[in-house]
Amino acid sequence: MSLTAITYLVVGLTFALYIGIAIWARAGSTSEFYVAGGGVHPVLNGMATGADWMSAASFISMAGLIAGMGYGGGLFLMGWTGGYVLLAMLLAPYLRKFGKFTVPQFVGDRFYSKGASSVAVICLLAASLTYIIGQMTGVGVAFSRFLGVSNTAGILIGMTIVFAYAVFGGMKGITYTQVAQYCVLILAYTVPAIFISLQLTGNPLPQLGLGSDMVGTSVPLLEKLNQVVTELGFGEYTTSVPGSKLNMFVYTVSLMIGTAGLPHVIIRFFTVPKVKDARSSAGWALVFIAILYTTAPAVAAMARLNIHATVNEAVLGGGDLFDNENILQYENRPAWMERWEVTGLLQFEDKNNDGRMQYYNDATTDPEVLAKAEAAGWEGSELDVNRDIIVLANPEIAMLPNWVIALVAAGGLAAALSTAAGLLLAISSAISHDLLKDMWMPDLSEKGELLAGKIAMACSLIVAAYLGLNPPGFAAGTVAIAFGLAASSIFPVLMMGIFNKRMNKEGAIAGMLAGLGVTMLYVFAHKGLFFIPGTEFLGLFGGEPNFFFGISPNAFGAIGAIINFAVAYGVSKVTPAPPEHIQELVESVRVPRGSKAVSGGH
């Protein structure tokens, strides 16, 4: 059976499974639609949370980022997993005890203000809509490569599948679908990694293979990789840190607190029966996430080595890396390169017209590398490999069986669709429950609210598909900005709402607006969309990339969070304290016993 036929079969079976589960677990009440009735087992909820969390960014992009960045890519591992520790310890159990459906509802009740709830909705939409762009784009990439359809058709197909199980099933359908999607994506990620680890090191565990010797040699895999990349002018894989150490630290913090503030993740902890279960769910989620996240560094390193080996025989066979006899001729390129060239994510430009694929760092300042390249007649690197293809192309590069390649396609789609569904539910609940029910139409019946929720999700899905097809320039290609927006706006207000009983509505609103505003301002400024003349000497608004102490816009969420905390604290000190009953509410939420049943009411 051909690769295309097997891929259609595997992907089709997984889609049928998702839709079947959604029909079985369709929501019949607002409680089931928003929080699955609050009756999901902690282990299942942890698995669903893992699928909800491990988006296209984790499955498709993270290993590619690590492959390109080397050691510096560890900030994604530390930031995204460390955020779950914060979530489990500082937020999940207290929010679950509060007993509300959504983050804006918590903010509205805790800060006794519909205005605060409205600002929280704005923050939620900003973070979620930015995040969902990456998911829909990932769906388009996976469909276009593996099913032979256009990017537009891929996004429309993905939108239809999500509509089928998310709109009708609500959180109840999404939860059990995400359990299935987790099983698909984790198998799709680990099975190829096991094959490739065996090929390169003889060790079936990729985590151990990363530190093992290459097959038939006494040379460790990472030592070999370091040797190859440095000889070709790239930074040493195990030590390189792109940008400053300050930027790496701030970036990691931004990802951590952004993770803890993502609304589509937080809402998952309202789906369990008890406060204890919320903390347990976070622990199980970490276990399930760790399987993929501890595998990613091995996938990244092995894929980087395999790509170099594909182009240059001397990588694994020994010899001069700049000897043209070792360089792959374009006409003899493997089939996987031909297939990825069609997508535009792998490109070859024959700069010296010799028909061979030179692949090195032509931007290096190392005179030895440049001298060797010039002596060999090279006129620049000729191969451009998009980092997003690393995971999806990895089994093809290693020439694994077709069923493994098909499984990876299904896994990539499962990762993107599961997170897209969670984001859509967070967006629709903010619109239908927090705006429509709580503010505009308080007398709306449960049946009417359920219908409104489904309509809101359908409309949100259309907007998400549009953004996937027409991504705004400042957000295209990254979901890190979404983490920055959540870090700078949502995380601080939740922390202050739980741990500072003196924090009032004026402080909360001012802090959210300041944090969100300054982060968005920095993102737009970084793209040269505005410039303040006469401020160059401050090093703040000079119109240059990373102009605030070398901090990139993707990392700026942590700075926005500090501003949020500072503004909120300052404003709260010069405005009236919260009512006594609110301060008592904050005290009671922190008592580690008992919890309210999950309710949409006030």
Side-chain angles (χ1 to χ4, degrees), residues 430-453:
I431 295 171
S432 63
H433 190 71
D434 299 317
L435 291 181
L436 191 62
K437 171 70 174 177
D438 285 354
M439 297 184 189
W440 300 339
M441 300 175 64
D443 297 328
L444 187 66
S445 67
E446 180 172 313
K447 184 177 180 180
E449 185 183 351
L450 186 60
L451 177 61

Side-chain angles (χ1 to χ4, degrees), residues 489-507:
S489 60
I490 297 174
F491 176 78
V493 77
L494 295 179
M495 287 292 292
M496 292 183 291
I498 294 170
F499 295 103
N500 185 353
K501 65 180 182 180
R502 177 62 179 77
M503 185 54 58
N504 58 16
K505 62 181 179 181
E506 292 84 1

Side-chain angles (χ1 to χ4, degrees), residues 169-183:
M171 179 59 89
K172 186 177 180 183
I174 287 172
T175 295
Y176 293 107
T177 301
Q178 285 175 337
V179 171
Q181 287 169 328
Y182 174 80
C183 296

Side-chain angles (χ1 to χ4, degrees), residues 362-387:
D362 52 8
T364 183
T365 57
D366 187 330
E368 185 178 344
V369 174
L370 294 175
K372 287 183 177 180
E374 184 179 355
W378 297 3
E379 296 181 9
S381 185
E382 299 176 343
L383 188 64
D384 181 19
V385 182
N386 189 297
R387 292 174 179 177

Side-chain angles (χ1 to χ4, degrees), residues 115 123 160 395 529:
C123 296
T160 303
L529 300 182

